[in-house]
Amino acid sequence: MNDMEEVPIKKRTTFLGFMAFLLGILCIVMIFMKPVEIGFVTASNWFIVIFGVAVLTLILSISGIARERERNFFPIIGFIISMAYIVFWIIFFLLILIGVM
């Protein structure tokens, strides 16, 4: 009878979840930060770096959400933050294309 019982999966927050959350916070901080001259990152390509961080956060968040043994709180917050930045740019370019801005 004990053989038929399943052991519940203990969910925990892993390094992947924390990285998704921290990269999301970094993305928001980089949006409001003055462009920094670090190596190949100049003021002219600063938004490309932020977009890259947002895409990396999106990938880490989706992989964190898909894991069974992962608590989904931090990856979901990172997913929301990264999607908010990407959606902002999509709306911005659509408004430029239709002539509002």
Side-chain angles (χ1 to χ4, degrees):
M1 195 177 256
N2 288 337
D3 294 333
M4 300 300 286
E5 295 177 15
E6 292 185 22
V7 177
I9 297 173
K10 289 187 177 181
K11 292 189 173 192
R12 60 188 174 96
T13 303
T14 61
F15 181 71
L16 185 68
F18 283 123
M19 282 303 296
F21 179 70
L22 291 176
L23 282 174
I25 298 298
L26 177 68
C27 182
I28 294 296
V29 168
M30 287 173 70
I31 290 170
F32 297 109
M33 199 167 77
K34 179 182 169 188
V36 181
E37 305 275 339
I38 303 173
F40 68 92
V41 179
T42 61
S44 61
N45 62 359
W46 183 250
F47 72 96
I48 296 172
V49 173
I50 298 172
F51 190 78
V53 170
V55 170
L56 180 66
T57 305
L58 187 70
I59 292 169
L60 287 176
S61 298
I62 290 173
S63 63
I65 291 169
R67 296 178 92 188
E68 284 184 19
R69 296 184 181 262
E70 175 85 24
R71 282 191 189 140
N72 289 336
F73 179 72
F74 285 132
I76 287 175
I77 298 297
F79 180 78
I80 292 170
I81 291 171
S82 63
M83 282 304 296
Y85 181 72
I86 293 170
V87 168
F88 164 76
W89 280 107
I90 291 171
I91 291 172
F92 179 76
F93 285 124
L94 285 175
L95 290 174
I96 288 175
L97 286 176
I98 63 173
V100 174
M101 297 183 90

